[in-house]
Amino acid sequence: MIDFSKSNDITQNTFGGKITYKTTINNTGDFTHIDLGNVNEGVVKLFLNAKKVGVRWYGKAIFSISDFLIKGQNEIEIRYTTVLANYCKSLKDNPTTKFWTSSYTDKTPIGIEEPVQLFK
């Protein structure tokens, strides 16, 4: 998991939209919560084993997963919607986006940066 704004690829560092993260974990513990780490003000929607766990529009992306996590293999899907600052900043000929992003000197971090953590 990376901060896409730090990429040298302009299609990544100016991206605005949805990113889907997927992985499978082997659950051998009695975990009750998942912390998605630093989501850089993006909107996150969490699915566990194809069931919607919840959505976070702001604040810490911590979810109660005790009703969704099973022993053994579990599929995690995170649907992440970025903020649009970097995309808007890339629209050099658009006076509206130029006005609204004029205070941004650096690119805004996008994507999930910190590792996802399960805890009790």
Side-chain angles (χ1 to χ4, degrees):
M1 299 197 176
I2 63 166
D3 173 1
F4 288 97
S5 73
K6 294 179 182 173
S7 172
N8 291 328
D9 182 340
I10 194 166
T11 62
Q12 290 183 5
N13 67 33
T14 63
F15 179 76
K18 293 183 181 179
I19 301 168
T20 301
Y21 299 89
K22 292 182 181 182
T23 193
T24 302
I25 62 163
N26 184 25
N27 176 33
T28 59
D30 292 322
F31 299 106
T32 59
H33 290 80
I34 188 168
D35 182 349
L36 301 183
N38 184 0
V39 298
N40 289 312
E41 299 182 28
V43 176
V44 289
K45 187 182 294 186
L46 176 66
F47 292 84
L48 192 52
N49 299 316
K51 295 178 184 165
K52 183 178 172 184
V53 176
V55 178
R56 291 291 186 275
W57 286 79
Y58 58 88
K60 292 198 172 277
I62 298 174
F63 296 87
S64 174
I65 57 170
S66 54
D67 292 338
F68 302 92
L69 193 66
I70 60 174
K71 293 283 188 197
Q73 293 296 107
N74 288 265
E75 294 178 12
I76 297 175
E77 179 177 333
I78 304 165
R79 296 180 190 169
Y80 176 89
T81 304
T82 71
V83 295
L84 294 176
N86 297 342
Y87 172 71
C88 290
K89 191 90 172 149
S90 74
L91 303 174
K92 302 291 184 193
D93 296 329
N94 185 313
T96 303
T97 60
K98 190 174 183 176
F99 171 78
W100 285 105
T101 60
S102 63
S103 64
Y104 293 97
T105 55
D106 296 324
K107 294 212 181 303
T108 300
I110 54 174
I112 297 175
E113 286 190 80
E114 296 179 12
V116 172
Q117 297 179 355
L118 297 169
F119 62 95
K120 298 178 185 183

